[in-house]
Short mmCIF file of all heavy atoms in Angstrom, two decimals:
data_model
loop_
_atom_site.label_atom_id
_atom_site.label_comp_id
_atom_site.label_asym_id
_atom_site.label_seq_id
_atom_site.Cartn_x
_atom_site.Cartn_y
_atom_site.Cartn_z
N TRP A 61 110.74 117.27 80.72
CA TRP A 61 111.57 116.50 81.68
C TRP A 61 110.78 116.02 82.95
O TRP A 61 111.40 115.69 84.01
CB TRP A 61 112.76 117.30 82.17
CG TRP A 61 113.47 118.20 81.30
CD1 TRP A 61 113.11 119.47 80.94
CD2 TRP A 61 114.76 117.99 80.64
NE1 TRP A 61 114.09 119.95 80.14
CE2 TRP A 61 115.03 119.14 79.87
CE3 TRP A 61 115.56 116.89 80.64
CZ2 TRP A 61 116.25 119.19 79.23
CZ3 TRP A 61 116.83 116.98 79.88
CH2 TRP A 61 117.04 118.22 79.12
N ASN A 125 113.25 128.31 92.76
CA ASN A 125 114.45 129.01 92.75
C ASN A 125 114.50 130.35 93.39
O ASN A 125 115.33 130.72 94.28
CB ASN A 125 114.91 129.22 91.30
CG ASN A 125 115.77 127.93 90.81
OD1 ASN A 125 116.99 128.00 91.01
ND2 ASN A 125 115.21 126.94 90.39
N TYR A 129 116.61 131.66 96.77
CA TYR A 129 117.58 132.88 97.03
C TYR A 129 117.13 133.77 98.09
O TYR A 129 118.08 134.21 98.85
CB TYR A 129 117.67 133.60 95.63
CG TYR A 129 117.76 132.88 94.42
CD1 TYR A 129 117.23 133.33 93.15
CD2 TYR A 129 118.17 131.45 94.35
CE1 TYR A 129 117.26 132.55 92.01
CE2 TYR A 129 118.34 130.85 93.23
CZ TYR A 129 117.78 131.32 91.94
OH TYR A 129 117.95 130.67 90.80
N ILE A 148 126.71 132.53 93.67
CA ILE A 148 127.68 132.27 92.51
C ILE A 148 127.05 130.98 91.81
O ILE A 148 126.63 129.97 92.46
CB ILE A 148 129.07 131.88 93.06
CG1 ILE A 148 129.52 133.17 93.68
CG2 ILE A 148 129.89 131.29 91.90
CD1 ILE A 148 131.04 132.88 94.17
N ALA A 149 126.79 131.12 90.50
CA ALA A 149 126.20 130.03 89.77
C ALA A 149 127.07 129.73 88.50
O ALA A 149 128.11 130.46 88.34
CB ALA A 149 124.76 130.50 89.23
N ARG A 150 126.69 128.66 87.93
CA ARG A 150 127.55 128.18 86.83
C ARG A 150 127.18 128.50 85.35
O ARG A 150 125.94 128.61 85.18
CB ARG A 150 127.54 126.63 86.94
CG ARG A 150 128.30 125.98 88.07
CD ARG A 150 127.89 124.62 88.20
NE ARG A 150 128.60 123.66 87.35
CZ ARG A 150 128.31 122.47 87.07
NH1 ARG A 150 127.25 122.01 87.58
NH2 ARG A 150 128.96 121.79 86.20
N GLU A 151 128.03 128.86 84.48
CA GLU A 151 127.66 129.03 83.19
C GLU A 151 127.09 127.67 82.68
O GLU A 151 127.28 126.71 83.07
CB GLU A 151 128.94 129.42 82.33
CG GLU A 151 129.60 130.71 82.68
CD GLU A 151 130.96 131.00 82.12
OE1 GLU A 151 131.43 129.99 81.33
OE2 GLU A 151 131.50 132.03 82.31
N ARG A 152 126.17 127.94 81.70
CA ARG A 152 125.35 126.84 81.08
C ARG A 152 124.20 126.25 81.77
O ARG A 152 123.49 125.45 81.52
CB ARG A 152 126.26 125.56 80.77
CG ARG A 152 127.32 125.84 79.66
CD ARG A 152 127.80 124.52 79.04
NE ARG A 152 128.20 123.60 79.98
CZ ARG A 152 129.40 123.09 80.23
NH1 ARG A 152 130.47 123.54 79.54
NH2 ARG A 152 129.64 122.18 81.09
N ALA A 153 124.02 126.97 83.10
CA ALA A 153 123.06 126.47 83.96
C ALA A 153 121.63 127.09 83.55
O ALA A 153 121.60 128.18 83.11
CB ALA A 153 123.32 126.86 85.38
N TYR A 154 120.66 126.34 83.92
CA TYR A 154 119.23 126.88 83.72
C TYR A 154 118.52 126.70 85.16
O TYR A 154 118.42 125.65 85.67
CB TYR A 154 118.42 126.02 82.65
CG TYR A 154 117.05 126.52 82.52
CD1 TYR A 154 116.79 127.65 81.83
CD2 TYR A 154 116.03 125.83 83.21
CE1 TYR A 154 115.45 128.19 81.84
CE2 TYR A 154 114.63 126.40 83.17
CZ TYR A 154 114.41 127.53 82.45
OH TYR A 154 113.21 127.95 82.45
N HIS A 155 117.92 127.84 85.44
CA HIS A 155 117.33 127.90 86.87
C HIS A 155 115.89 128.38 86.73
O HIS A 155 115.19 128.52 87.84
CB HIS A 155 118.13 128.66 87.85
CG HIS A 155 119.42 127.99 88.10
ND1 HIS A 155 119.64 126.70 88.78
CD2 HIS A 155 120.80 128.31 87.77
CE1 HIS A 155 120.84 126.49 88.88
NE2 HIS A 155 121.59 127.34 88.28
N GLY A 156 115.36 128.80 85.69
CA GLY A 156 114.00 129.21 85.53
C GLY A 156 113.93 130.73 84.92
O GLY A 156 114.84 131.21 84.39
N SER A 161 115.60 133.97 89.04
CA SER A 161 116.03 132.74 88.31
C SER A 161 116.45 132.96 86.97
O SER A 161 117.48 132.31 86.50
CB SER A 161 115.00 131.61 88.41
OG SER A 161 113.77 132.08 87.82
N ALA A 164 119.97 134.20 87.61
CA ALA A 164 120.89 133.10 88.09
C ALA A 164 121.20 132.15 86.82
O ALA A 164 122.26 131.48 86.94
CB ALA A 164 120.19 132.25 89.11
N THR A 165 120.32 132.09 85.85
CA THR A 165 120.65 131.19 84.71
C THR A 165 121.82 131.64 83.93
O THR A 165 122.08 132.80 83.82
CB THR A 165 119.38 131.18 83.79
OG1 THR A 165 118.36 130.48 84.37
CG2 THR A 165 119.62 130.62 82.35
N GLY A 166 122.65 130.70 83.51
CA GLY A 166 123.96 130.87 82.88
C GLY A 166 123.96 130.67 81.36
O GLY A 166 124.83 130.31 80.77
N ILE A 167 122.65 131.10 80.72
CA ILE A 167 122.52 130.84 79.29
C ILE A 167 122.23 132.25 78.80
O ILE A 167 121.20 132.88 79.09
CB ILE A 167 121.50 129.92 79.02
CG1 ILE A 167 121.80 128.46 79.62
CG2 ILE A 167 121.21 129.82 77.52
CD1 ILE A 167 120.65 127.45 79.47
N PHE A 170 118.76 133.84 77.64
CA PHE A 170 117.77 134.19 78.58
C PHE A 170 118.01 135.60 79.10
O PHE A 170 117.05 136.40 79.42
CB PHE A 170 117.71 133.21 79.66
CG PHE A 170 117.06 131.88 79.27
CD1 PHE A 170 117.83 130.82 78.90
CD2 PHE A 170 115.65 131.70 79.30
CE1 PHE A 170 117.21 129.64 78.37
CE2 PHE A 170 115.03 130.53 78.86
CZ PHE A 170 115.82 129.54 78.46
N PRO A 186 131.89 126.36 84.52
CA PRO A 186 131.07 125.27 85.00
C PRO A 186 131.75 124.02 85.48
O PRO A 186 131.18 123.06 86.03
CB PRO A 186 130.00 124.99 83.90
CG PRO A 186 130.81 125.21 82.78
CD PRO A 186 131.63 126.36 82.98
N ASP A 187 133.05 123.86 85.07
CA ASP A 187 133.69 122.62 85.40
C ASP A 187 134.92 122.73 86.23
O ASP A 187 135.53 121.72 86.67
CB ASP A 187 134.34 121.99 84.05
CG ASP A 187 133.13 121.73 83.10
OD1 ASP A 187 132.09 121.09 83.63
OD2 ASP A 187 133.12 122.08 81.91
N PHE A 207 126.42 129.14 96.82
CA PHE A 207 126.68 128.51 95.51
C PHE A 207 125.47 127.81 95.01
O PHE A 207 124.87 127.02 95.78
CB PHE A 207 127.97 127.49 95.57
CG PHE A 207 128.22 126.74 94.38
CD1 PHE A 207 128.95 127.39 93.34
CD2 PHE A 207 127.81 125.52 94.20
CE1 PHE A 207 129.22 126.75 92.26
CE2 PHE A 207 128.03 124.80 93.00
CZ PHE A 207 128.79 125.50 92.12
N LEU A 208 125.06 127.87 93.72
CA LEU A 208 123.89 127.36 93.14
C LEU A 208 124.39 126.57 91.98
O LEU A 208 125.04 126.99 91.07
CB LEU A 208 123.08 128.54 92.79
CG LEU A 208 121.78 128.20 91.84
CD1 LEU A 208 120.89 127.45 92.59
CD2 LEU A 208 121.17 129.43 91.22
N THR A 209 123.77 125.28 92.03
CA THR A 209 124.06 124.44 90.82
C THR A 209 122.99 123.35 90.54
O THR A 209 122.34 123.00 91.56
CB THR A 209 125.34 123.70 91.04
OG1 THR A 209 125.74 122.99 89.92
CG2 THR A 209 125.24 122.75 92.12
N GLU A 210 122.84 122.99 89.35
CA GLU A 210 122.07 121.81 88.98
C GLU A 210 123.13 120.74 89.12
O GLU A 210 124.21 120.84 88.52
CB GLU A 210 121.60 121.90 87.59
CG GLU A 210 120.62 122.92 87.19
CD GLU A 210 120.45 122.87 85.74
OE1 GLU A 210 121.18 123.58 85.05
OE2 GLU A 210 119.47 122.25 85.25
N PRO A 211 122.80 119.67 89.94
CA PRO A 211 123.89 118.57 89.94
C PRO A 211 124.21 117.95 88.51
O PRO A 211 125.27 117.65 88.18
CB PRO A 211 123.12 117.44 90.71
CG PRO A 211 122.27 118.33 91.68
CD PRO A 211 121.76 119.39 90.73
N ILE A 212 123.17 117.94 87.61
CA ILE A 212 123.36 117.68 86.16
C ILE A 212 122.64 118.82 85.47
O ILE A 212 121.43 119.11 85.65
CB ILE A 212 122.69 116.32 85.82
CG1 ILE A 212 123.29 115.27 86.66
CG2 ILE A 212 122.77 116.06 84.36
CD1 ILE A 212 122.65 113.96 86.63
N GLN A 213 123.43 119.53 84.57
CA GLN A 213 122.78 120.67 83.85
C GLN A 213 121.88 120.02 82.73
O GLN A 213 122.22 119.22 81.94
CB GLN A 213 123.85 121.48 83.25
CG GLN A 213 124.67 122.20 84.11
CD GLN A 213 125.79 123.15 83.51
OE1 GLN A 213 126.21 122.81 82.60
NE2 GLN A 213 126.04 124.17 84.29
N GLY A 214 120.56 120.52 82.81
CA GLY A 214 119.60 119.90 81.91
C GLY A 214 119.40 120.73 80.68
O GLY A 214 119.93 120.24 79.61
N ALA A 215 118.81 121.83 80.69
CA ALA A 215 118.50 122.66 79.39
C ALA A 215 119.70 123.04 78.74
O ALA A 215 119.78 123.38 77.61
CB ALA A 215 117.60 123.83 79.76
N GLY A 216 120.88 123.07 79.57
CA GLY A 216 122.18 123.54 79.02
C GLY A 216 122.75 122.40 78.10
O GLY A 216 123.91 122.66 77.55
N GLY A 217 122.18 121.19 78.02
CA GLY A 217 122.68 120.21 77.16
C GLY A 217 122.96 118.85 77.86
O GLY A 217 123.65 118.08 77.39
N VAL A 218 122.36 118.64 79.03
CA VAL A 218 122.64 117.52 79.81
C VAL A 218 124.13 117.28 80.04
O VAL A 218 124.81 116.34 79.48
CB VAL A 218 122.00 116.18 79.21
CG1 VAL A 218 122.21 114.90 80.17
CG2 VAL A 218 120.49 116.38 79.11
N ASN A 219 124.76 118.17 80.90
CA ASN A 219 126.19 118.08 81.16
C ASN A 219 126.31 117.57 82.59
O ASN A 219 125.65 118.07 83.46
CB ASN A 219 126.72 119.66 80.98
CG ASN A 219 126.38 120.20 79.82
OD1 ASN A 219 126.62 119.70 78.68
ND2 ASN A 219 125.71 121.36 79.81
N PHE A 220 127.22 116.57 82.63
CA PHE A 220 127.52 115.93 83.94
C PHE A 220 128.72 116.63 84.59
O PHE A 220 129.69 116.89 83.82
CB PHE A 220 127.70 114.43 83.75
CG PHE A 220 126.44 113.79 83.25
CD1 PHE A 220 126.26 113.45 81.85
CD2 PHE A 220 125.37 113.50 84.04
CE1 PHE A 220 125.08 112.88 81.45
CE2 PHE A 220 124.32 112.84 83.64
CZ PHE A 220 124.08 112.53 82.34
N PRO A 221 128.69 116.71 85.80
CA PRO A 221 129.94 117.27 86.56
C PRO A 221 131.19 116.36 86.42
O PRO A 221 131.04 115.11 86.34
CB PRO A 221 129.62 117.38 88.00
CG PRO A 221 128.40 116.38 88.20
CD PRO A 221 127.79 116.29 86.84
N LYS A 222 132.31 116.97 86.35
CA LYS A 222 133.58 116.14 86.16
C LYS A 222 133.68 115.45 87.70
O LYS A 222 133.21 115.91 88.65
CB LYS A 222 134.78 117.03 85.91
CG LYS A 222 134.71 117.59 84.58
CD LYS A 222 135.96 118.42 84.17
CE LYS A 222 135.87 118.74 82.71
NZ LYS A 222 137.24 119.62 82.31
N TYR A 225 133.95 117.02 91.18
CA TYR A 225 133.69 118.40 91.17
C TYR A 225 132.74 118.88 92.31
O TYR A 225 133.08 119.83 93.00
CB TYR A 225 133.15 118.80 89.80
CG TYR A 225 132.68 120.30 89.66
CD1 TYR A 225 133.60 121.31 89.37
CD2 TYR A 225 131.31 120.61 89.87
CE1 TYR A 225 133.13 122.55 89.31
CE2 TYR A 225 130.96 122.02 89.79
CZ TYR A 225 131.82 122.92 89.57
OH TYR A 225 131.37 124.21 89.56
N LEU A 226 131.59 118.18 92.43
CA LEU A 226 130.59 118.67 93.41
C LEU A 226 131.15 118.39 94.90
O LEU A 226 130.87 119.15 95.76
CB LEU A 226 129.21 117.97 93.16
CG LEU A 226 128.58 118.32 91.93
CD1 LEU A 226 127.23 117.44 91.70
CD2 LEU A 226 128.20 119.77 91.83
N ILE A 229 133.44 121.39 95.52
CA ILE A 229 132.61 122.66 95.78
C ILE A 229 131.96 122.57 97.10
O ILE A 229 131.92 123.47 97.91
CB ILE A 229 131.43 122.66 94.62
CG1 ILE A 229 132.07 122.90 93.29
CG2 ILE A 229 130.47 123.71 95.07
CD1 ILE A 229 132.78 124.26 93.11
N PHE A 240 125.26 125.84 100.17
CA PHE A 240 125.28 125.11 98.92
C PHE A 240 123.82 124.78 98.60
O PHE A 240 123.03 124.05 99.27
CB PHE A 240 125.99 123.69 99.05
CG PHE A 240 126.21 122.95 97.88
CD1 PHE A 240 127.48 122.57 97.46
CD2 PHE A 240 125.30 122.47 97.08
CE1 PHE A 240 127.84 121.90 96.28
CE2 PHE A 240 125.38 121.68 95.86
CZ PHE A 240 126.66 121.39 95.63
N ILE A 241 123.30 125.32 97.31
CA ILE A 241 122.04 125.15 96.78
C ILE A 241 122.05 124.11 95.73
O ILE A 241 122.84 124.53 94.67
CB ILE A 241 121.35 126.42 96.39
CG1 ILE A 241 121.37 127.44 97.42
CG2 ILE A 241 119.91 126.21 95.91
CD1 ILE A 241 120.88 128.90 96.99
N ALA A 242 121.30 123.06 95.69
CA ALA A 242 121.23 122.08 94.64
C ALA A 242 119.79 122.28 93.97
O ALA A 242 118.84 122.08 94.55
CB ALA A 242 121.40 120.71 95.14
N ASP A 243 119.84 122.61 92.63
CA ASP A 243 118.61 122.64 91.86
C ASP A 243 118.30 121.35 91.23
O ASP A 243 118.89 121.01 90.18
CB ASP A 243 118.84 123.85 90.90
CG ASP A 243 117.59 124.01 90.01
OD1 ASP A 243 116.68 123.11 90.15
OD2 ASP A 243 117.55 125.04 89.32
N GLU A 244 117.37 120.52 91.86
CA GLU A 244 117.01 119.20 91.41
C GLU A 244 115.74 119.26 90.71
O GLU A 244 115.05 118.38 90.65
CB GLU A 244 117.06 118.28 92.59
CG GLU A 244 118.39 117.95 93.30
CD GLU A 244 118.80 116.64 92.87
OE1 GLU A 244 118.44 116.01 92.01
OE2 GLU A 244 119.89 116.13 93.59
N VAL A 245 115.35 120.43 90.11
CA VAL A 245 114.05 120.44 89.46
C VAL A 245 113.93 119.39 88.27
O VAL A 245 113.02 118.84 88.20
CB VAL A 245 113.78 122.04 88.93
CG1 VAL A 245 112.63 121.92 87.95
CG2 VAL A 245 113.69 122.92 90.01
N ILE A 246 114.90 119.34 87.53
CA ILE A 246 114.93 118.25 86.45
C ILE A 246 115.40 116.90 86.93
O ILE A 246 114.88 115.91 86.70
CB ILE A 246 115.84 118.77 85.20
CG1 ILE A 246 115.18 119.86 84.51
CG2 ILE A 246 116.12 117.59 84.35
CD1 ILE A 246 115.97 120.45 83.37
N SER A 247 116.55 116.96 87.77
CA SER A 247 117.18 115.71 88.08
C SER A 247 116.50 114.93 89.27
O SER A 247 116.89 113.73 89.43
CB SER A 247 118.62 115.99 88.45
OG SER A 247 118.75 116.84 89.53
N GLY A 248 115.50 115.57 89.95
CA GLY A 248 115.02 114.81 91.07
C GLY A 248 113.90 113.82 90.82
O GLY A 248 113.44 113.77 89.61
N THR A 252 117.46 110.15 87.52
CA THR A 252 118.84 109.76 87.23
C THR A 252 119.07 108.26 87.68
O THR A 252 120.25 107.79 87.71
CB THR A 252 119.84 110.65 88.02
OG1 THR A 252 119.58 110.50 89.33
CG2 THR A 252 119.63 112.13 87.54
N ALA A 257 119.70 113.37 92.25
CA ALA A 257 121.03 113.27 91.58
C ALA A 257 122.24 113.48 92.62
O ALA A 257 123.21 112.93 92.45
CB ALA A 257 121.12 114.27 90.54
N CYS A 258 121.97 114.28 93.64
CA CYS A 258 123.09 114.52 94.70
C CYS A 258 123.54 113.21 95.29
O CYS A 258 124.68 113.09 95.68
CB CYS A 258 122.48 115.41 95.73
SG CYS A 258 122.35 117.12 95.31
N TYR A 261 126.63 111.72 93.79
CA TYR A 261 127.90 112.42 94.13
C TYR A 261 128.21 112.56 95.66
O TYR A 261 129.07 113.18 95.89
CB TYR A 261 127.78 113.77 93.27
CG TYR A 261 127.42 113.64 91.88
CD1 TYR A 261 126.18 114.02 91.39
CD2 TYR A 261 128.34 113.06 90.93
CE1 TYR A 261 125.84 113.93 90.03
CE2 TYR A 261 128.02 112.92 89.69
CZ TYR A 261 126.77 113.39 89.24
OH TYR A 261 126.47 113.21 87.84
N ILE A 263 126.87 113.95 98.19
CA ILE A 263 126.77 115.27 98.79
C ILE A 263 125.39 115.62 99.31
O ILE A 263 124.44 115.11 98.76
CB ILE A 263 127.17 116.45 97.88
CG1 ILE A 263 126.18 116.36 96.60
CG2 ILE A 263 128.67 116.37 97.37
CD1 ILE A 263 126.28 117.74 95.84
N PRO A 265 123.14 118.97 100.01
CA PRO A 265 123.20 120.40 99.97
C PRO A 265 122.63 121.03 101.24
O PRO A 265 121.86 120.29 101.95
CB PRO A 265 122.38 120.60 98.77
CG PRO A 265 121.44 119.53 98.65
CD PRO A 265 122.24 118.34 99.14
N VAL A 267 120.48 123.48 100.84
CA VAL A 267 119.18 123.83 100.24
C VAL A 267 118.93 122.94 99.04
O VAL A 267 119.81 122.96 98.11
CB VAL A 267 119.03 125.23 100.04
CG1 VAL A 267 117.57 125.68 99.45
CG2 VAL A 267 119.31 126.25 101.16
N MET A 268 117.75 122.35 98.91
CA MET A 268 117.45 121.65 97.70
C MET A 268 116.16 122.21 97.16
O MET A 268 115.12 122.49 97.81
CB MET A 268 117.23 120.16 97.89
CG MET A 268 116.88 119.38 96.69
SD MET A 268 116.67 117.60 96.97
CE MET A 268 118.36 116.92 97.31
N ILE A 269 116.32 122.48 95.72
CA ILE A 269 115.28 123.10 95.01
C ILE A 269 114.54 121.97 94.17
O ILE A 269 115.21 121.11 93.52
CB ILE A 269 115.65 124.17 94.06
CG1 ILE A 269 116.19 125.24 94.91
CG2 ILE A 269 114.54 124.70 93.23
CD1 ILE A 269 116.97 126.27 93.99
N LYS A 272 108.83 119.78 89.08
CA LYS A 272 108.57 118.86 87.90
C LYS A 272 108.21 117.49 88.40
O LYS A 272 107.01 117.09 88.59
CB LYS A 272 109.90 118.76 87.01
CG LYS A 272 110.21 120.08 86.23
CD LYS A 272 111.26 119.93 85.19
CE LYS A 272 111.61 121.20 84.48
NZ LYS A 272 110.58 121.71 83.63
N VAL A 364 117.97 110.28 81.80
CA VAL A 364 118.34 111.53 81.20
C VAL A 364 119.66 111.40 80.50
O VAL A 364 120.66 110.82 80.92
CB VAL A 364 118.31 112.66 82.20
CG1 VAL A 364 119.47 112.37 83.32
CG2 VAL A 364 118.50 114.05 81.62
N ARG A 399 114.35 116.71 71.92
CA ARG A 399 114.69 118.27 72.07
C ARG A 399 116.12 118.36 71.67
O ARG A 399 116.94 117.46 71.85
CB ARG A 399 114.51 118.70 73.55
CG ARG A 399 114.63 120.14 73.78
CD ARG A 399 114.13 120.51 75.13
NE ARG A 399 114.49 121.80 75.55
CZ ARG A 399 114.19 122.42 76.72
NH1 ARG A 399 113.42 121.73 77.57
NH2 ARG A 399 114.49 123.73 77.01
N TYR A 403 122.99 126.00 72.06
CA TYR A 403 123.77 127.07 72.57
C TYR A 403 125.27 126.79 72.38
O TYR A 403 125.74 125.71 72.44
CB TYR A 403 123.44 127.12 74.12
CG TYR A 403 121.98 127.17 74.47
CD1 TYR A 403 121.52 126.31 75.31
CD2 TYR A 403 121.26 128.27 74.00
CE1 TYR A 403 120.16 126.26 75.63
CE2 TYR A 403 119.77 128.29 74.22
CZ TYR A 403 119.33 127.30 75.15
OH TYR A 403 117.92 127.41 75.56
N TRP A 404 126.04 127.81 72.52
CA TRP A 404 127.60 127.79 72.29
C TRP A 404 127.85 126.99 71.10
O TRP A 404 127.29 127.26 70.02
CB TRP A 404 128.13 127.17 73.55
CG TRP A 404 127.72 127.72 74.94
CD1 TRP A 404 127.99 129.05 75.36
CD2 TRP A 404 126.64 127.38 75.81
NE1 TRP A 404 127.27 129.21 76.45
CE2 TRP A 404 126.50 128.24 76.75
CE3 TRP A 404 125.94 126.07 75.80
CZ2 TRP A 404 125.59 128.06 77.84
CZ3 TRP A 404 125.11 125.88 76.86
CH2 TRP A 404 124.86 126.88 77.79
#
Side-chain angles (χ1 to χ4, degrees):
W61 323 79
N125 266 273
Y129 314 155
I148 296 182
R150 297 164 71 199
E151 294 171 356
R152 296 198 311 247
Y154 177 79
H155 295 291
S161 52
T165 289
I167 299 172
F170 287 95
D187 298 314
F207 173 82
L208 168 68
T209 186
E210 299 169 277
I212 298 164
Q213 293 182 328
V218 184
N219 307 306
F220 296 98
K222 292 186 176 179
Y225 175 82
L226 292 177
I229 292 292
F240 188 122
I241 306 173
D243 181 343
E244 292 252 18
V245 170
I246 286 175
S247 58
T252 65
C258 284
Y261 305 107
I263 57 166
V267 179
M268 182 181 283
I269 297 167
K272 292 189 184 294
V364 62
R399 184 170 171 175
Y403 308 121
W404 311 286

